[in-house]
């Protein structure tokens, strides 16, 4: 079996032991690998691009990491073939460079797919790129093995286990990579699940959140043994977590469980119009800890999931999105009552948002009361888009009614008192 070239000797062997003929053949091989990798990547992108929109994810990923990845595979095969006849020091140096480039692009692409905040993405991209390239420079120059030995020397023993600073760093790196991979896979599955229109939206969201939690847990459980940490140590963490839940984290756990209950019983769905306390708006997100309610004025209300379970919630669109609006108005006793009622009904029928096809939900005008200053009327209308707002609809109907009242001579009264003066005849 051919012994691998020590990492600390890559630069010295390239500079001191590479002859001109060997260098020429290796450069020609690298150029051929580059052209072939470009051709293969271009062909694959064209093939995947014409299949389906569902492969868009694969095409985007292939465009980012396809060329260096295919090039790395070709260089590895070329190195294995050329190493039979001559030293391949140039290829030995190119392999870790391409591997680092593949790793940087792959992690950055996964982060962009998982994260939605541009500032966070840019920060993580810089951290990942600098870490990998600095590590590669230390790896090629031969400094990295010395740093590794120094980190491993800072250690202590706990029973039969040996812990060191190197083990801690490895555990953190592997766990971060595992979590990123789990989130990437969860995001990929979420995109697929949300396209399954046959399933209820709440069920799809519940499956997405359960899948994400399961994948992150599995990622951590697989990452710890990979760096030599016994999973049984998690029993201590589990006990501490139980104490924490009992002392101060029960609200967080309650909100988390309440989120799954809301999704599974389908009492609240994205797009529903809710009234919770003094807040009214459309459900835009049902997250793990809270539900986001977007008010009609653009503000966003964060409501803990536990509140939606334990308090009274008015869902204006649970079984049916149609809601009724009552628009009160008063006319004077001297005005034509029947004409005023017809004007109110006509204004409602002429509005695009008002339902008038069904007799039950058609606009109607009721006489509510004979008041002190005039006759109290109520215009009742039904709409199917409560998220479009109610105040703007009232304003438009009032404006149309006001114009018609003025043209028809219908008077809207103001408070009036009749004073009768009785003279004393004695």
């Amino acid at each position: 079996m051919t012994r691998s070239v020590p990492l600390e000797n890559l630069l010295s062997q390239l500079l001191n032991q590479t002859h001109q003929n060997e260098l020429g053949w290796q450069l020609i091989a690298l150029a051929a690998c580059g052209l072939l990798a470009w051709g293969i990547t271009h062909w694959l992108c064209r093939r995947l691009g014409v299949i389906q929109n569902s492969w868009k994810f694969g095409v985007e990923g292939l465009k980012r990491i396809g060329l260096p990845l295919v090039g790395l595979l070709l260089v590895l095969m070329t190195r294995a073939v050329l190493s039979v006849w001559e030293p391949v020091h140039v290829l030995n140096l190119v392999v870790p460079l391409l591997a680092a480039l593949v790793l940087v692009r792959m992690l950055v692409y996964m982060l962009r797919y998982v994260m939605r905040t541009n500032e966070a993405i840019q920060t993580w991209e810089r951290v990942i790129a600098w870490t990998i390239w600095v590590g590669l420079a230390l790896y090629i120059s031969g400094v990295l093995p010395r740093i590794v030995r120094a980190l491993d020397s800072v250690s202590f023993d706990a029973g039969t286990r040996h812990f060191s600073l190197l083990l801690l760093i490895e555990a953190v790196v592997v766990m971060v990579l595992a979590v990123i991979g789990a989130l990437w896979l969860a995001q990929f599955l979420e995109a697929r699940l949300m396209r399954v229109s046959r399933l209820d939206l709440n069920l799809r969201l519940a499956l997405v959140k359960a899948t994400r939690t399961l994948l992150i847990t599995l990622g951590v459980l697989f990452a710890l043994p990979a760096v030599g940490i016994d999973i049984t140590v998690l029993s201590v963490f589990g006990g501490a977590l139980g104490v924490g839940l009992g002392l101060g984290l029960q609200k967080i756990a309650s909100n988390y469980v309440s989120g799954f209950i809301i999704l599974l019983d389908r009492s609240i769905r994205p797009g529903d119009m809710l009234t919770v306390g003094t807040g009214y708006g459309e459900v835009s997100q049902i997250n793990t800890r809270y539900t986001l309610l977007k008010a009609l004025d653009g503000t966003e209300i964060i409501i803990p999931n536990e509140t939606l379970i334990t308090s009274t919630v008015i869902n204006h669109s649970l079984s049916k999105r149609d809601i009724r609006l009552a628009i009160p108005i008063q006319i004077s006793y001297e005005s034509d009552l029947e004409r005023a009622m017809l004007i109110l009904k006509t204004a409602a029928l002429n509005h695009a948002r008002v339902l008038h096809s069904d007799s039950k939900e058609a606009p109607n005008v009721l006489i509510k009361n004979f008041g002190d200053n005039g006759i109290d009327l109520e215009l009742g209308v039904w709409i199917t888009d409560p998220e479009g707002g109610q105040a703007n609809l009232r304003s438009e109907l009032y404006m149309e009614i006001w114009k018609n009242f003025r043209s028809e001579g219908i008077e809207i009264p103001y408070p009036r008192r009749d004073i009768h003066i009785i003279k004393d005849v004695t």
Side-chain angles (χ1 to χ4, degrees), residues 394-408:
R394 293 176 185 273
S395 176
E396 292 169 2
L397 289 176
Y398 274 133
M399 179 59 69
E400 183 68 18
I401 292 169
W402 169 254
K403 292 179 180 179
N404 293 330
F405 274 10
R406 295 190 65 181
S407 63
E408 297 291 336

Side-chain angles (χ1 to χ4, degrees), residues 214-285:
L214 178 62
L215 288 175
I216 293 176
T217 303
L218 291 177
V220 174
L221 292 179
F222 280 110
L224 291 179
V227 294
I229 298 179
D230 193 354
I231 302 181
T232 56
V233 300
L234 293 179
S235 60
V236 179
F237 175 75
L241 181 61
V243 175
L245 289 175
L247 295 178
L249 300 179
Q250 67 269 24
K251 287 293 184 181
I252 297 177
S254 177
N255 287 324
Y256 185 82
V257 175
S258 298
F260 278 97
I261 294 175
I262 291 172
L263 291 173
L264 292 176
D265 67 8
R266 293 180 288 183
S267 58
I268 297 174
R269 297 160 297 185
D272 285 353
M273 301 301 296
L274 302 184
T275 297
V276 184
T278 58
Y280 172 78
E282 179 184 3
V283 177
S284 59
Q285 295 179 21

Side-chain angles (χ1 to χ4, degrees), residues 164-411:
S164 65
L165 185 58
L166 177 63
L167 181 64
L168 176 61
I169 295 175
E170 289 178 349
V172 172
V173 171
V174 173
M175 288 184 64
V176 169
L177 294 178
V179 170
I180 292 176
L183 290 175
W184 172 79
L185 184 58
Q187 196 79 4
F188 177 79
L189 294 177
E190 177 182 354
R192 294 299 182 272
L193 284 172
M194 296 306 291
R195 293 195 185 104
V196 184
S197 57
R198 295 186 299 272
L199 294 177
D200 183 77
L201 178 59
N202 278 30
L203 181 57
R204 281 179 277 169
L205 291 174
L207 289 175
V208 166
K209 295 182 184 301
T211 302
R212 179 173 299 179
T213 303
L214 178 62
L215 288 175
I216 293 176
T217 303
L218 291 177
V220 174
L221 292 179
F222 280 110
L224 291 179
V227 294
I229 298 179
D230 193 354
I231 302 181
T232 56
V233 300
L234 293 179
S235 60
V236 179
F237 175 75
L241 181 61
V243 175
L245 289 175
L247 295 178
L249 300 179
Q250 67 269 24
K251 287 293 184 181
I252 297 177
S254 177
N255 287 324
Y256 185 82
V257 175
S258 298
F260 278 97
I261 294 175
I262 291 172
L263 291 173
L264 292 176
D265 67 8
R266 293 180 288 183
S267 58
I268 297 174
R269 297 160 297 185
D272 285 353
M273 301 301 296
L274 302 184
T275 297
V276 184
T278 58
Y280 172 78
E282 179 184 3
V283 177
S284 59
Q285 295 179 21
I286 301 178
N287 295 312
T288 303
R289 187 184 63 84
Y290 61 89
T291 295
L292 194 63
L293 206 65
K294 187 172 183 180
L296 299 180
D297 60 358
T299 58
E300 293 179 326
I301 307 171
I302 298 175
I303 303 175
N305 289 329
E306 184 186 16
T307 303
L308 300 177
I309 297 293
T310 59
S311 62
T312 301
V313 177
I314 302 175
N315 192 333
H316 301 275
S317 52
L318 177 59
S319 59
K320 197 174 182 181
R321 295 187 60 80
D322 299 353
I323 64 172
R324 183 181 185 275
L325 298 182
I327 302 175
I329 196 165
Q330 190 180 66
I331 63 172
S332 65
Y333 285 103
E334 291 79 12
S335 301
D336 188 341
L337 177 59
E338 294 182 352
R339 184 61 182 168
M341 295 176 68
L342 180 61
I343 290 174
L344 293 176
K345 189 172 183 178
T346 303
L349 290 173
N350 292 334
H351 200 282
R353 292 180 58 189
V354 175
L355 291 177
H356 53 81
S357 58
D358 191 348
S359 59
K360 181 180 178 181
E361 296 180 349
N364 64 330
V365 182
L366 303 175
I367 300 176
K368 299 292 290 185
N369 187 30
F370 291 101
D372 296 335
N373 304 308
I375 304 174
D376 296 325
L377 304 178
E378 181 184 274
L379 172 63
V381 298
W382 289 83
I383 60 175
T384 59
D385 55 346
E387 66 278 2
Q390 300 181 17
N392 54 352
L393 175 62
R394 293 176 185 273
S395 176
E396 292 169 2
L397 289 176
Y398 274 133
M399 179 59 69
E400 183 68 18
I401 292 169
W402 169 254
K403 292 179 180 179
N404 293 330
F405 274 10
R406 295 190 65 181
S407 63
E408 297 291 336
I410 305 297
E411 180 184 355

Side-chain angles (χ1 to χ4, degrees), residues 49-179:
V50 298
I51 296 178
Q52 291 181 6
N53 290 333
S54 60
W55 282 96
K56 181 179 179 181
F57 172 80
V59 174
E60 293 297 326
L62 186 61
K63 287 180 180 179
R64 293 181 179 274
I65 66 174
L67 182 60
L69 180 59
V70 175
L72 175 61
L73 296 176
L74 292 175
V75 171
L76 287 173
M77 292 187 290
T78 303
R79 186 180 67 170
V81 174
L82 290 181
S83 62
V84 178
W85 294 283
E86 61 184 22
V88 285
H89 305 311
V90 175
L91 299 182
N92 288 335
L93 185 60
V94 171
V95 167
L97 289 173
L98 287 176
L101 181 59
V102 170
L103 186 59
V104 169
R105 289 196 174 185
M106 182 175 64
L107 291 177
V108 168
Y109 174 65
M110 292 170 66
L111 280 175
R112 288 181 179 179
Y113 191 72
V114 170
M115 293 185 173
R116 305 183 185 276
T117 306
N118 292 330
E119 295 181 358
I121 291 176
Q122 294 174 0
T123 302
W124 277 100
E125 284 180 359
R126 288 193 293 266
V127 171
I128 290 174
W130 276 102
T131 302
I132 293 177
W133 290 119
V134 170
L136 178 64
L138 298 174
Y139 172 74
I140 293 176
S141 62
V143 179
L144 186 60
R146 300 178 183 178
I147 296 177
V148 169
R149 288 193 295 269
L151 293 175
D152 192 43
S153 63
V154 182
S155 62
F156 65 93
D157 294 326
T160 59
R161 305 299 303 174
H162 177 76
F163 296 94
S164 65
L165 185 58
L166 177 63
L167 181 64
L168 176 61
I169 295 175
E170 289 178 349
V172 172
V173 171
V174 173
M175 288 184 64
V176 169
L177 294 178
V179 170

